[in-house]
């Protein structure tokens, strides 16, 4: 789950508890950072996403990116006592948007971050929940289940923001559908 914690985080945690599964929350600097200890205590992974999630700022230079990732790392550490070494680049490691701010920055960052001890994760299945406006829960479920077909291992992109209520609604059917396709769930780690 990218972009949280949010007003939906507690609902997501309840659903994950119901199914006895663990997830990874790639967090940003939000007003709900007090949820981080709960996410951690329930055994979910907390990954670093961004302090600001401002592409124009973080992708304008390597130093700006490093300052931003250190900011969210420090917040996570202050709230949980854990230094996370897993991360997801805003827009993914091969995003094209970053080039409009600093050409070649993703090539530099995808080499640099592992050398600094970070493991970064992209997705190979998108829920499509960020495709503008409110995406119907049925479409989110369909996107995930169809995207997972024929794959041995998946990393699903979903979002944990206050505007993603249909992601929360889709979660039980998504979990059950992935279970029936033979998938098991685990939090990511380095």
């Amino acid at each position: 789950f990218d972009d949280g914690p949010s007003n939906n985080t507690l609902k997501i945690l309840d659903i994950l508890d119901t199914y006895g599964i663990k997830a990874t929350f790639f967090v940003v600097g939000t007003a709900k950072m007090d949820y981080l200890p709960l996410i951690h205590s329930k055994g979910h992974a907390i990954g670093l996403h961004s302090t600001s999630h401002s592409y124009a700022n973080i992708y304008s230079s390597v130093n700006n990116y490093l300052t931003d990732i250190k900011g969210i790392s420090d917040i996570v550490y202050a709230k949980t006592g854990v230094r996370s070494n897993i991360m997801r680049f805003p827009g993914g490691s091969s995003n094209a948007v970053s080039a409009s701010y600093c050409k070649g920055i993703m090539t530099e960052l995808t080499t640099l971050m592992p050398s600094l001890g970070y493991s970064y994760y992209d997705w190979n299945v998108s829920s499509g929940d960020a495709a503008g406006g409110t995406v119907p829960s049925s479409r989110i479920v369909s996107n995930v289940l169809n995207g997972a077909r024929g794959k041995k291992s998946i990393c699903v992109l979903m979002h944990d923001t206050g505007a993603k209520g249909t992601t929360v609604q889709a979660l039980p059917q998504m979990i059950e559908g992935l279970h029936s396709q033979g998938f098991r769930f685990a939090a990511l780690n380095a």
Side-chain angles (χ1 to χ4, degrees):
F1 294 91
D2 284 12
D3 300 346
S6 77
N7 289 331
N8 282 320
T9 303
L10 299 179
K11 296 172 199 167
I12 291 168
L13 291 172
D14 286 345
I15 294 167
L16 297 174
D17 281 351
T18 297
Y19 287 93
I21 60 177
K22 303 302 176 200
T24 303
F25 291 80
F26 290 100
V27 299
V28 299
T30 71
K32 300 293 182 181
M33 299 313 276
D34 287 340
Y35 290 165
L36 294 179
L38 180 62
I39 294 167
H40 175 67
S41 72
K42 289 181 171 282
H44 303 286
I46 298 176
L48 310 174
H49 196 40
S50 175
T51 304
S52 67
H53 210 289
S54 165
Y55 285 38
N57 177 45
I58 63 176
Y59 291 137
S60 63
S61 74
V62 169
N63 283 339
N64 279 8
Y65 182 82
L66 293 175
T67 298
D68 184 86
I69 204 75
K70 182 183 182 321
I72 194 64
S73 178
D74 289 348
I75 292 168
V76 169
Y77 180 74
K79 295 290 185 181
T80 66
V82 174
R83 273 283 173 210
S84 181
N85 63 348
I86 61 174
M87 55 169 291
R88 175 171 287 150
F89 293 105
S93 67
S94 61
N95 78 74
V97 177
S98 60
S100 63
Y101 303 109
C102 182
K103 196 156 184 66
I105 193 168
M106 292 316 301
T107 301
E108 244 183 289
L109 290 175
T110 56
T111 302
L112 177 63
M113 297 313 288
S115 78
L116 296 175
Y118 293 96
S119 295
Y120 66 86
Y121 287 89
D122 284 322
W123 57 92
N124 62 355
V125 173
S126 176
S127 68
D129 66 351
T134 301
V135 179
S137 61
S138 59
R139 172 155 309 166
I140 294 169
V141 171
S142 175
N143 288 341
V144 171
L145 297 183
N146 289 334
R149 277 190 182 48
K151 291 185 169 99
K152 288 178 126 183
S153 178
I154 62 172
C155 186
V156 179
L157 174 64
M158 293 180 284
H159 293 84
D160 172 17
T161 68
K164 300 301 172 195
T166 56
T167 300
V168 176
Q169 292 168 6
L171 202 49
Q173 193 175 351
M174 219 185 318
I175 291 167
E176 291 168 14
L178 290 171
H179 269 292
S180 67
Q181 286 185 31
F183 288 99
R184 64 179 182 77
F185 295 81
L188 296 171
N189 61 57

